[in-house]
Amino acid sequence: MKRPFLLSALLSTLLAGTAWAHHGWSEYDDKKPLELKGTIESSGYQQPHGFVELKTAGKTWHVVLAPPGRMENRGLAKDMLAAGTAATVYGYPHRTKPEELRAERITIAGKTTELR
């Protein structure tokens, strides 16, 4: 009888931690869309969302992308996000972090990938 209870408790703990770690999209202002053009300085292709650090004329932005599986399925491979690559990103700024943007789409080498 102990084993089902322990398994249930473990799963509940893991799921609660995952839910807590994932943020909501309400943190981003969809009333103020931005299009940023710049060069990728670094990137991450990890869960729950990939990212790029995009250097623009004014500053470097932390751009939140889609999960890796979605990017891969839509044709945005990890190697396309290499440092030094020119990119255009359309998305929404974070309400309290002035250097962060949630991307709706990204264009690299003339290919636009919808991320949402």
Side-chain angles (χ1 to χ4, degrees):
M1 193 70 172
K2 279 186 179 181
R3 183 168 249 157
F5 174 77
L6 290 174
L7 181 58
S8 178
L10 177 63
L11 286 173
S12 295
T13 302
L14 290 172
L15 291 174
T18 301
W20 179 81
H22 192 270
H23 52 84
W25 295 126
S26 64
E27 299 171 7
Y28 299 89
D29 192 347
D30 64 356
K31 305 284 189 265
K32 297 179 181 177
L34 297 174
E35 183 175 89
L36 305 176
K37 295 180 182 204
T39 303
I40 296 173
E41 290 190 324
S42 64
S43 65
Y45 210 79
Q46 68 231 15
Q47 296 292 347
H49 302 282
F51 71 90
V52 295
E53 298 296 331
L54 187 71
K55 184 176 176 87
T56 65
K59 65 180 172 182
T60 298
W61 289 81
H62 177 77
V63 180
V64 179
L65 303 173
R70 184 180 308 155
M71 291 190 291
E72 192 74 34
N73 289 339
R74 295 185 180 175
L76 185 63
K78 182 178 183 176
D79 63 345
M80 294 173 72
L81 302 176
T85 302
T88 301
V89 178
Y90 175 88
Y92 307 115
H94 196 282
R95 294 179 191 279
T96 60
K97 299 176 184 173
E99 72 290 344
E100 187 169 303
L101 182 94
R102 176 192 82 161
E104 287 291 314
R105 68 186 63 92
I106 186 169
T107 303
I108 295 176
K111 180 185 182 325
T112 299
T113 304
E114 295 293 329
L115 300 172
R116 301 289 159 227

